[in-house]
Amino acid sequence: MLKSSIVPMFMLIPYSTRTPKFLRRAIVPNTCPRRQHVRQNASFSPIASTLHYSPPTSAYVHLPFCRKRCHYCDFPIVALGSGSTQQQQHNDDNSDPRITNYINLLAREVNATTSECETHPPLQTVFFGGGTPSLVPPRLVSLILDSLRAKFGIHEDAEISMEMDPGTFDARKLKGFMELGVNRVSLGVQAFQDELLKACGRAHGVKEVYEAIEIVDSCGVKNWSMDLISSLPNQTTQMWEESLRLTVDAKPTHVSVYDLQVEQGTKFGILYKPGEFPLPSDTQSADFYKMASKTLSNAGYYHYEISSYGKEGFECKHNSTYWKNKPFYAFGLGSASFLDGVRFSRPRKMREYTSFVENLENGKVDSSLDNKVFDAKDAAIDVVMLSLRTAKGLDLKSFREAFGNSLVNDLCKLYKPYVESGHVVCLDEQRRAISADKFNKLVLNENDIQTELAFIRLSDPDGFLLSNELISLAFGVIAP
């Protein structure tokens, strides 16, 4: 089953990202073991060692402030209290000192960051995640963008996304963000039922949801996403169907659907056990996933990644950086960057993060490539795990060039029964499906695999529902 952790991919490693149960942790924006310093496997192609060493063009910025901690949340956040209303936050001259101090610290991290790349192309995407970034006044968001622009440059057509919660912004504040260059909004709705929102500890209700949708529409935001969570306590099929219908009615250009992951240390982790009432069973969660896939696909959304649906041309460019295993910067409390083939997580506690920034400024954080040992097996696992999250799937030609023919052949043989069952789909260069019978003949001749088989992907929704198991099987072949 696919259980999604509601963790943004930017927080740790792209392993624990908001993912469905079935894929735990492959969505990993965060849960796989951090493999940074391991031996090179000489049996893999040396080309693999250059996979990640291109200059980053994306940056994730963590703004950890929330009015309160939701019952399912295990992110590094700073709860400001219920008094942190949108009206108070609109006054830039009366910002909470905790926000001001953090923004200044974050700007110091940006300024102290070095890169070993000789060229520095401007950033193509910037993503403000949290937390609730919309609690931060536009004036302070401007300081961050100014720091990024001065350090790396920001392309004039860059996608600049911001997570925003209902009840934390009005039209004036949203327009202020838009004037800074924010051109994509990710609205954290989660549900359209007050009882579910209250049970989750959300700070907003359905009234604020409709107000937020109206504000986004009236301000002319053309590119905006809505977040929903399935498998909540006491959530019924009728509730989920209603949330999906109302989401389609709101006409966002993108929808993200996350399956609840009960994390240890959270209030839900104390109250509930996965699969036990009032949480839905794995079968019910799978039905929720299938319903979302069918409803959103019928409404014209392309299911381009396990948890992501977009209208044509509105796939999230920033998140695609993760799925394509490309390098990216990350700044702020608990965030994780991926540079030069190494994933690096910053401290989750404010005091330790402050010390980290001070050490970075004083040159005490070693970023030398000499101390980073590339592991081809880890790289291969990353590529398979992240590629199979997407509708495009795994590009076998590129994978073969990086990791060799034998590994491709082994993966094809591994997935033979799942091709027959319809959970894995094989495609040629023109992305035409290859029948199970033809595939069975191809695997008998390794040369035929090379010439006729171009991609493998998981079927939607049944293959995605088995993603955790299917990706784990690949791990066993790559690193037995």
Side-chain angles (χ1 to χ4, degrees):
M1 249 302 280
L2 165 104
K3 261 305 182 194
S4 178
S5 96
I6 306 183
V7 181
M9 324 205 89
F10 343 102
M11 283 311 310
L12 301 173
I13 1 191
Y15 304 124
S16 320
T17 329
R18 314 167 163 174
T19 308
K21 293 173 188 165
F22 355 123
L23 191 158
R24 178 64 171 174
R25 267 209 179 203
I27 209 195
V28 153
N30 315 252
T31 259
C32 284
R34 290 167 178 69
R35 328 173 208 84
Q36 295 180 2
H37 303 289
V38 270
R39 297 187 302 275
Q40 168 101 26
N41 185 324
S43 67
F44 282 78
S45 165
I47 299 174
S49 64
T50 66
L51 277 177
H52 310 299
Y53 291 1
S54 57
T57 58
S58 294
Y60 172 75
V61 180
H62 189 62
L63 302 180
F65 305 102
C66 288
R67 289 175 289 182
K68 56 187 291 192
R69 181 178 287 278
C70 298
H71 298 340
Y72 52 74
C73 177
D74 71 339
F75 297 170
I77 69 161
V78 176
L80 299 175
S82 58
S84 301
T85 62
Q86 57 173 336
Q87 288 78 15
Q88 290 173 312
Q89 292 302 324
H90 293 154
N91 188 345
D92 277 8
D93 297 326
N94 190 32
S95 302
D96 189 307
R98 291 170 291 181
I99 298 179
T100 303
N101 292 339
Y102 177 80
I103 297 301
N104 289 331
L105 183 63
L106 196 151
R108 286 168 55 191
E109 183 191 355
V110 172
N111 295 332
T113 296
T114 59
S115 172
E116 284 125 10
C117 296
E118 294 182 0
T119 59
H120 297 278
L123 297 176
Q124 300 283 349
T125 73
V126 177
F127 195 105
F128 290 101
T132 308
S134 49
L135 285 172
V136 178
R139 175 180 62 86
L140 296 180
V141 172
S142 178
L143 292 179
I144 302 171
L145 288 170
D146 288 345
S147 297
L148 292 172
R149 190 173 287 109
K151 188 71 179 183
F152 309 109
I154 299 178
H155 195 279
E156 60 181 1
D157 295 324
E159 176 192 88
I160 303 179
S161 303
M162 176 175 283
E163 293 182 344
M164 307 180 77
D165 277 0
T168 63
F169 65 97
D170 60 7
R172 175 188 171 191
K173 192 171 191 179
L174 178 53
K175 288 178 180 177
F177 290 135
M178 294 171 69
E179 289 171 0
L180 298 177
V182 174
N183 51 24
R184 184 178 184 276
V185 169
S186 181
L187 191 63
V189 171
Q190 318 309 2
F192 278 87
Q193 297 79 28
D194 276 323
E195 59 267 42
L196 291 185
L197 293 171
K198 184 177 181 180
C200 289
R202 297 291 291 179
H204 69 266
V206 174
K207 177 176 178 290
E208 287 78 20
V209 168
Y210 285 115
E211 290 174 349
I213 293 171
E214 173 60 30
I215 291 169
V216 169
D217 183 62
S218 67
C219 288
V221 179
K222 304 300 182 185
N223 187 1
W224 70 284
S225 180
M226 186 180 293
D227 287 0
L228 296 177
I229 302 176
S230 64
S231 301
L232 294 170
N234 294 304
Q235 189 176 41
T236 65
T237 299
Q238 292 72 28
M239 289 176 175
W240 183 234
E241 185 176 33
E242 180 184 46
S243 288
L244 291 170
R245 175 175 54 81
L246 294 173
T247 295
V248 171
D249 290 345
K251 297 180 171 62
T253 52
H254 187 281
V255 181
S256 294
V257 177
Y258 304 121
D259 191 56
L260 177 68
Q261 178 68 37
V262 177
E263 302 282 2
Q264 291 185 353
T266 65
K267 187 169 184 178
F268 274 4
I270 297 172
L271 294 175
Y272 307 126
K273 291 184 179 180
E276 295 184 7
F277 186 82
L279 296 179
S281 66
D282 282 357
T283 298
Q284 290 172 308
S285 293
D287 288 342
F288 286 158
Y289 187 79
K290 291 178 180 179
M291 186 184 300
S293 178
K294 181 178 180 180
T295 300
L296 295 173
S297 296
N298 288 344
Y301 293 90
Y302 174 46
H303 194 180
Y304 69 96
E305 186 272 333
I306 280 183
S307 300
S308 306
Y309 302 77
K311 293 287 189 177
E312 184 177 359
F314 287 96
E315 295 88 352
C316 180
K317 295 177 181 178
H318 182 85
N319 284 357
S320 293
T321 297
Y322 306 131
W323 312 140
K324 294 176 181 178
N325 209 29
K326 291 184 176 181
F328 55 90
Y329 297 107
F331 304 100
L333 190 72
S335 65
S337 55
F338 182 36
L339 303 172
D340 303 318
V342 174
R343 303 189 190 278
F344 178 79
S345 297
R346 285 140 193 81
R348 292 171 58 92
K349 301 292 186 181
M350 192 64 74
R351 179 175 297 178
E352 287 82 358
Y353 173 64
T354 301
S355 297
F356 162 77
V357 174
E358 292 173 349
N359 289 334
L360 187 67
E361 291 175 318
N362 294 327
K364 295 180 181 180
V365 176
D366 189 1
S367 60
S368 170
L369 272 177
D370 294 338
N371 290 323
K372 299 171 186 173
V373 181
F374 179 84
D375 188 299
K377 288 184 178 180
D378 290 346
I381 287 173
D382 283 353
V383 172
V384 170
M385 177 177 61
L386 297 172
S387 296
L388 290 183
R389 289 185 58 87
T390 68
K392 179 181 178 181
L394 178 64
D395 183 332
L396 295 179
K397 180 179 179 181
S398 297
F399 193 77
R400 181 182 295 109
E401 291 174 347
F403 303 106
N405 289 328
S406 62
L407 185 54
V408 171
N409 296 334
D410 289 344
L411 287 174
C412 289
K413 294 174 183 177
L414 171 74
Y415 286 141
K416 182 175 178 290
Y418 300 97
V419 173
E420 295 172 350
S421 66
H423 293 93
V424 175
V425 179
C426 300
L427 307 169
D428 63 15
E429 286 283 0
Q430 285 72 47
R431 297 194 63 81
R432 295 174 300 198
I434 295 174
S435 69
D437 288 341
K438 183 176 180 179
F439 175 78
N440 288 339
K441 294 177 182 178
L442 291 178
V443 295
L444 297 176
N445 188 319
E446 295 182 356
N447 290 330
D448 289 343
I449 291 178
Q450 295 181 39
T451 57
E452 299 193 42
L453 190 58
F455 301 91
I456 56 174
R457 56 153 296 178
L458 305 186
S459 61
D460 178 15
D462 293 330
F464 282 154
L465 283 168
L466 277 184
S467 56
N468 190 46
E469 289 88 340
L470 293 172
I471 292 172
S472 295
L473 288 172
F475 290 0
V477 168
I478 296 170

